[in-house]
């Protein structure tokens, strides 16, 4: 058997996620290369939506180019049924690190407006302990120095991501060297630092289901 490359795994997990989408629904859509595959597969399967709510300009542009209507959260009367997004790391409790694509704040906001969060990844994203992938933090620019002090006091090594400004107009600090054994506690602690807009730990709102693609197929973790 040939080993599927990472792109083939992204397409496989994207197809599995399409099967979770109800036609005619309002769907929350994340950001990243796996989500790009998901959007393409959704269109290829001709799944019609009432509307999509996007976590980024990037995904909104892709959705609209394929004929989907993209609306804002103000259009919702109640939480939408489903949000689908990728992750940079995911542990067995379905806590994640996200934000490699710099969309973490909007991703948290859109996820918070959904009843169910499905995370779509290939198996390379599964970890025992979160933190090998540098933790993205969106910050107010003037707060970079004190936020960096606070992060160093927590044992991390903060590096401002060069040349990146989020859709919200803020820089990103990537924190290296963390071993996040208690994701809820660390997410909560980082949120308390003045100047932090959002951090990339998704533990207070973890995924409800992870679809994980590997050479053996797509596994469902919950
Ligand atoms: C963007 C994200 C993405 O979900 C994450 O970076 C995974 O991306 P990819 O599917 O390209 O590996 O959090 O902010």
């Amino acid at each position: 058997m040939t080993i599927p490359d990472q792109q083939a795994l992204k397409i496989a997990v994207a197809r599995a996620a399409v099967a979770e989408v109800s036609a005619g629904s309002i769907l929350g859509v994340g950001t990243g290369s796996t989500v790009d595959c998901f959007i393409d597969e959704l269109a290829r399967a001709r799944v019609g939506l009432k509307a999509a709510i996007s976590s980024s300009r990037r995904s909104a542009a892709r959705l609209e180019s394929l004929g989907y209507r993209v609306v804002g959260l103000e259009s919702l009367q109640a939480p939408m049924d489903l949000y689908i997004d990728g992750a940079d790391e995911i542990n067995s409790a379905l806590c994640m690190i996200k934000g490699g694509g710099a969309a973490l704040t909007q991703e948290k906001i859109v996820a918070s407006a959904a009843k169910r969060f499905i995370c779509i990844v290939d198996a390379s994203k599964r970890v025992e302990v979160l933190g090998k992938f540098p933790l993205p933090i969106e910050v107010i620019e003037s707060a970079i120095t004190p936020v960096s002090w606070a992060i160093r006091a927590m044992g991390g090594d903060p590096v401002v991501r060069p040349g990146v400004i989020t859709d919200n107009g803020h820089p990103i600090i990537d924190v290296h060297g963390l071993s996040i054994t208690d994701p809820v506690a660390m997410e909560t602690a980082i949120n308390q630092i003045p100047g932090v807009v959002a951090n990339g730990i998704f533990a207070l709102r973890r995924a409800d289901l992870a679809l994980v693609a590997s050479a053996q197929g797509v596994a469902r973790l919950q």
Side-chain angles (χ1 to χ4, degrees):
M1 191 177 84
T2 55
I3 298 171
D5 64 18
Q6 201 176 20
Q7 186 63 18
L9 294 179
K10 287 178 187 181
I11 292 169
V13 80
R15 286 186 181 151
V18 167
E20 303 286 330
V21 177
S22 301
S25 64
I26 299 179
L27 178 67
V29 179
T31 300
S33 58
T34 314
V35 167
D36 285 348
C37 291
F38 167 71
I39 295 169
D40 294 350
E41 292 303 316
L42 195 69
R44 202 187 309 275
R46 298 182 187 277
V47 178
L49 297 175
K50 186 171 178 190
I53 296 189
S54 174
S55 64
S56 63
R57 291 188 194 137
R58 166 181 169 169
S59 291
R62 199 172 191 99
L63 285 158
E64 286 175 337
S65 75
L66 290 167
Y68 289 104
R69 189 166 76 98
V70 177
V71 299
L73 286 166
E74 68 283 355
S75 304
L76 291 178
Q77 308 295 320
M80 61 196 148
D81 287 335
L82 182 59
Y83 176 68
I84 292 183
D85 200 355
D88 300 300
E89 286 184 347
I90 184 163
N91 71 12
S92 55
L94 307 191
C95 299
M96 298 159 282
I97 285 184
K98 294 183 44 53
L104 62 155
T105 302
Q106 291 306 118
E107 289 170 343
K108 272 196 182 176
I109 293 169
V110 180
S112 78
K115 291 183 202 157
R116 195 160 170 249
F117 183 153
I118 298 181
C119 177
I120 54 173
V121 288
D122 65 75
S124 69
K125 307 289 186 69
R126 286 195 69 186
V127 296
E128 289 285 319
V129 177
L130 299 174
K132 198 163 179 195
F133 188 92
L135 174 66
I137 305 179
E138 182 166 349
V139 294
I140 304 289
E141 188 173 9
S142 62
I144 286 176
T145 297
V147 169
S148 297
W149 292 338
I151 291 300
R152 280 198 197 95
M154 294 170 131
D157 178 18
V159 178
V160 177
R161 196 181 298 181
V164 171
I165 295 293
T166 68
D167 285 358
N168 303 312
H170 304 301
I172 296 272
I173 293 175
D174 291 312
V175 183
H176 298 251
L178 293 175
S179 178
I180 306 172
T181 52
D182 187 342
V184 168
M186 185 155 285
E187 181 179 3
T188 305
I190 295 174
N191 283 344
Q192 305 311 312
I193 303 170
V196 166
V197 177
N199 76 79
I201 303 174
F202 283 58
L204 294 164
R205 205 294 174 239
R206 67 192 69 187
D208 301 296
L209 170 69
L211 298 174
V212 183
S214 71
Q216 283 69 48
V218 178
R220 299 171 70 87
L221 307 182
Q222 51 195 346

